[in-house]
C-alpha cells in the first residue's frame, strides 16, 4: 500500500529570510506500509483515526513566511514521536522489556505509548504480542531520526538567531455531544515550556478570527513541548491542538470546505509568531 523506503521525516526549509521558528508535525504521517497492515488487526482507515490528518498541509505556507516545516511520514499508530523514546506497555510484548523502558506512565496505561496498543474506539491494534525487537526497530528508524532532525533544527536556529520557537502542531477529535470543547488548545506545559507572551500572541490571533481557545486543558503538551521548551536557554515550545471538525470530516477522514479557512488562519498564526520571535533576536527589533 505504501513505500517502506520513504524517509521517516520531511523538512521543508524556509524560503527567503529564515525566521527562528520551526513548525513540527509528529502525528500527520500516513505511510502505512504493507508490512504494518499485515501485522495489524485493523485496516488502514481505522488506524488513521489516531492520525493528525493533513496537519502538515495546514502549515504548508509556513516556509514561505520564513519558518521551517518538519513533519513525520510514519504513522502515529506505528511509532509515536510525541512520547519518550522507550515509553512501552509490557503487556504488548512477548519478551521482557529492558530496565530502561518507562512502563508505568499514564500514556502507557491508557494504551498510547511510543508503540500504541490501541486506536481509540477500534480497540487493540495487534492480535498477538510483539517481539521487543519490533519496537526497538521502529524507535531507532523512526523516532530517533525525527528527533535528531528536530534537535538539529533547534540547535541551528539558536546558533544563528540566538533563540528558537517550536510550534508543535496537532489536531484533536471532536467528542460527540460536547458543546464546551474549544476550537484550539494551546499546550504550554503549564507555563514552563514558553513565555506567557507567546501563548497570548497565538491566542489573540485565534480569537480575532472568532475561535474559542483554551490553555493546557485537556492537552498541556506532550514530550516535544516538555523536552524542547527551555525558555531560559532561548528555546520556547508550544503545542497547538486544532479541532478536526474545523477542517475535515471525521468519518470519511477527508478535508471539507473549511480546510482553506483554517489554512489561512494558520498563516496568520505563523506570521504573528515570527513577529514575536523577531523581538527576541538581538538587534533585529531595531531594524
Amino acid at each position: 500500500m505504501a513505500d517502506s523506503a520513504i524517509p521517516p521525516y520531511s523538512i521543508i526549509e524556509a524560503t527567503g529570510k529564515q525566521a527562528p521558528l520551526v513548525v513540527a508535525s509528529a502525528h500527520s504521517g500516513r505511510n502505512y506500509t504493507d508490512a504494518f497492515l499485515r501485522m495489524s488487526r485493523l485496516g488502514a482507515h481505522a488506524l488513521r483515526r489516531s492520525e493528525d490528518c493533513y496537519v502538515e498541509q495546514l502549515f504548508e505556507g509556513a516556509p514561505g513566511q520564513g519558518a521551517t516545516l518538519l513533519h513525520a511520514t510514519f504513522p502515529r499508530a506505528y511509532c509515536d514521536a510525541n512520547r519518550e523514546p522507550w515509553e512501552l506497555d509490557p503487556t504488548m510484548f512477548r519478551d521482557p522489556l529492558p530496565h530502561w523502558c518507562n512502563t508505568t506512565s499514564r500514556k502507557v496505561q491508557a494504551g498510547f505509548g511510543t508503540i500504541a496498543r490501541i486506536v481509540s474506539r477500534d480497540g487493540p491494534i495487534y492480535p498477538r504480542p510483539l517481539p521487543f525487537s519490533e519496537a526497538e526497530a521502529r524507535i531507532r528508524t523512526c523516532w530517533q531520526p525525527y528527533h535528531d532532525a528536530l534537535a538539529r533544527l533547534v540547535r541551528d536556529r539558536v546558533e544563528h538567531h540566538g533563540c528558537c520557537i517550536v510550534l508543535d502542531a496537532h489536531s484533536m477529535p471532536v467528542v460527540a455531544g460536547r458543546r464546551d470543547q474549544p476550537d484550539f488548545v494551546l499546550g504550554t506545559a503549564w507555563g514552563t515550556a514558553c513565555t506567557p507572551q507567546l501563548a497570548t500572541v497565538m491566542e489573540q490571533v485565534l480569537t480575532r478570527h472568532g475561535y474559542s481557545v483554551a490553555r493546557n486543558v485537556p492537552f498541556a503538551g506532550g514530550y516535544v513541548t516538555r523536552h524542547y521548551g527551555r525558555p531560559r536557554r532561548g528555546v520556547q515550545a508550544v503545542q497547538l491542538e486544532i479541532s478536526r471538525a474545523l477542517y475535515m470530516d471525521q468519518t470519511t477522514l477527508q478535508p471539507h470546505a473549511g480546510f482553506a479557512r483554517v489554512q489561512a488562519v494558520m498563516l496568520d498564526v505563523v506570521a504573528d509568531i515570527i513577529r514575536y520571535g523577531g523581538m527576541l533576536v538581538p538587534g533585529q527589533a531595531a531594524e
Side-chain angles (χ1 to χ4, degrees), residues 214-236:
R215 293 196 195 184
N216 295 308
V217 179
F219 304 107
Y223 176 83
V224 169
T225 305
R226 298 171 188 272
H227 179 74
Y228 292 94
R230 296 289 185 271
R232 293 184 179 180
R233 300 180 187 177
V235 181
Q236 300 190 52

Side-chain angles (χ1 to χ4, degrees), residues 151-201:
R152 183 177 67 253
L153 291 172
V154 170
R155 183 176 60 251
D156 289 351
R157 274 129 198 87
V158 170
E159 290 177 356
H160 184 74
H161 299 284
C163 63
C164 180
I165 297 171
V166 177
L167 175 57
D168 190 38
H170 297 267
S171 68
M172 56 186 177
V174 173
V175 180
R178 278 198 59 181
R179 297 184 178 182
D180 60 340
Q181 187 168 342
D183 297 317
F184 293 87
V185 178
L186 304 178
T188 68
W190 299 102
T192 63
C194 70
T195 64
Q197 290 85 354
L198 174 58
T200 297
V201 164

Side-chain angles (χ1 to χ4, degrees):
M1 179 179 179
D3 187 354
S4 60
I6 292 176
Y9 64 85
S10 176
I11 296 176
I12 299 92
E13 294 285 359
T15 58
K17 185 177 181 181
Q18 183 196 84
L21 172 61
V22 176
V23 179
S25 175
H27 289 165
S28 59
R30 46 190 173 272
N31 181 28
Y32 294 87
T33 64
D34 290 335
F36 178 40
L37 294 175
R38 285 195 300 269
M39 196 178 299
S40 169
R41 58 173 285 275
L42 303 176
H45 189 84
L47 290 169
R48 290 195 66 196
R49 295 188 194 280
S50 70
E51 180 188 312
D52 289 349
C53 300
Y54 316 112
V55 164
E56 88 286 1
Q57 293 181 20
L58 291 175
F59 286 92
E60 66 182 10
Q65 295 177 300
T68 299
L69 176 60
L70 165 70
H71 66 91
T73 58
F74 54 90
R76 176 188 189 181
Y78 184 76
C79 183
D80 193 334
N82 199 29
R83 299 288 180 265
E84 297 173 20
W86 304 100
E87 206 167 348
L88 300 175
D89 183 344
T91 67
M92 291 178 58
F93 301 94
R94 60 176 180 246
D95 34 328
L97 297 181
H99 66 86
W100 65 76
C101 295
N102 179 351
T103 61
T104 60
S105 75
R106 285 189 295 177
K107 291 297 185 182
V108 165
Q109 292 172 5
F112 301 110
T114 317
I115 309 299
R117 174 170 52 84
I118 63 174
V119 174
S120 184
R121 64 180 183 271
D122 295 300
I125 297 173
Y126 306 100
R128 60 188 64 86
L130 302 172
F132 171 68
S133 59
E134 178 66 30
E136 188 174 27
R138 296 184 193 185
I139 291 165
R140 298 199 185 283
T141 60
C142 295
W143 190 100
Q144 195 64 59
Y146 180 86
H147 282 280
D148 286 346
L150 180 53
R152 183 177 67 253
L153 291 172
V154 170
R155 183 176 60 251
D156 289 351
R157 274 129 198 87
V158 170
E159 290 177 356
H160 184 74
H161 299 284
C163 63
C164 180
I165 297 171
V166 177
L167 175 57
D168 190 38
H170 297 267
S171 68
M172 56 186 177
V174 173
V175 180
R178 278 198 59 181
R179 297 184 178 182
D180 60 340
Q181 187 168 342
D183 297 317
F184 293 87
V185 178
L186 304 178
T188 68
W190 299 102
T192 63
C194 70
T195 64
Q197 290 85 354
L198 174 58
T200 297
V201 164
M202 296 176 64
E203 184 171 350
Q204 288 176 341
V205 179
L206 295 169
T207 55
R208 190 168 67 234
H209 282 279
Y211 294 113
S212 58
V213 183
R215 293 196 195 184
N216 295 308
V217 179
F219 304 107
Y223 176 83
V224 169
T225 305
R226 298 171 188 272
H227 179 74
Y228 292 94
R230 296 289 185 271
R232 293 184 179 180
R233 300 180 187 177
V235 181
Q236 300 190 52
V238 60
Q239 179 174 293
L240 176 65
E241 293 278 356
I242 307 166
S243 172
R244 292 175 189 168
L246 295 176
Y247 70 91
M248 62 175 281
D249 185 309
Q250 293 185 106
T251 300
T252 65
L253 306 183
Q254 294 300 311
H256 60 48
F259 188 91
R261 184 191 176 200
V262 176
Q263 194 175 47
V265 172
M266 293 306 98
L267 286 179
D268 282 354
V269 170
V270 168
D272 277 26
I273 292 175
I274 288 174
R275 277 192 286 271
Y276 167 79
M279 296 187 292
L280 306 177
V281 178
Q284 185 166 313
E287 290 182 0

